[in-house]
Amino acid sequence: HSHDYNIYFSLLVGLSHCYNLGNIILPSSVTSIGESAFEGCRYLTSLPNLDNVTSIGKKAFNNCDCFTEVTLPDSVTSVGSYFVYNYSSLTSIVFSNNITELPGYCVFNLGALTSLTLPLNLTTIKAYAIYFCNNLTNIIYPGTIAQWNNITKESSCFRNIGTTIVHCSDGDVSI
């Protein structure tokens, strides 16, 4: 059984391991999702409305296994390590275009992930940012090949994934 809750804070930090948590309604006053805020909330079926959220902390949605897709609005400018980690049903991620850095282990151990859309304003991809996503076959970068080539990519930033191609707006590049 899952339950719905309304949240009334500006920084959300303390709902981890609420196994029966179903849907979340966030007021516009919530601008940051803290570390491990929803970790282990296994029945949370989708992200709450994040239109006013600018940052999402480390492990914020770790082990929320009911998600099938994640789309971050352009209000989000940063995500922490293990942003999406250890999901068996997540097939698609679309990052906010205003995120500039993907931290290490940002997208990690997602067996069903097939599609990943990277941020347009991305400047840095840290080591192991996209890791152990063996079925990932479609990586989309909305910018040009020249913009892609200007992104700092640390060693092993893409590791154990199912593709070696990134689709840019003007062609494909190997990774």
Side-chain angles (χ1 to χ4, degrees):
H1 250 54
S2 64
H3 300 282
D4 296 348
Y5 294 90
N6 289 316
I7 308 298
Y8 300 100
F9 306 103
S10 62
L11 169 63
L12 182 61
V13 293
L15 294 173
S16 69
H17 300 287
C18 291
Y19 298 110
N20 293 325
L21 189 63
N23 295 311
I24 294 289
I25 300 166
L26 296 179
S28 59
S29 61
V30 175
T31 57
S32 182
I33 306 292
E35 182 173 333
S36 301
F38 293 102
E39 182 177 15
C41 296
R42 295 204 179 271
Y43 294 104
L44 187 62
T45 57
S46 64
L47 288 176
N49 179 348
L50 300 174
D51 286 345
N52 293 311
V53 171
T54 58
S55 66
I56 298 173
K58 179 179 177 181
K59 298 183 180 179
F61 295 99
N62 185 15
N63 285 315
C64 296
D65 198 38
C66 288
F67 291 1
T68 57
E69 62 181 49
V70 168
T71 299
L72 294 181
D74 284 342
S75 62
V76 177
T77 58
S78 68
V79 294
S81 296
Y82 302 97
F83 166 61
V84 283
Y85 165 63
N86 205 26
Y87 291 60
S88 62
S89 57
L90 185 62
T91 60
S92 172
I93 299 171
V94 178
F95 279 104
S96 157
N97 281 320
N98 293 319
I99 292 173
T100 58
E101 178 180 294
L102 295 183
Y105 303 98
C106 180
V107 176
F108 178 47
N109 196 27
L110 304 176
L113 186 68
T114 58
S115 181
L116 175 66
T117 301
L118 297 171
L120 176 62
N121 294 315
L122 191 60
T123 60
T124 305
I125 305 173
K126 295 289 193 174
Y128 300 98
I130 315 298
Y131 182 49
F132 204 60
C133 300
N134 292 331
N135 292 309
L136 180 58
T137 55
N138 194 28
I139 299 176
I140 300 163
Y141 173 67
T144 64
I145 292 172
Q147 288 172 303
W148 174 258
N149 290 335
N150 285 329
I151 296 171
T152 300
K153 299 167 205 77
E154 292 185 1
S155 177
S156 298
C157 63
F158 294 100
R159 188 85 171 150
N160 292 2
I161 62 173
T163 187
T164 58
I165 302 293
V166 174
H167 306 288
C168 298
S169 63
D170 60 348
D172 296 342
V173 294
S174 295
I175 52 175

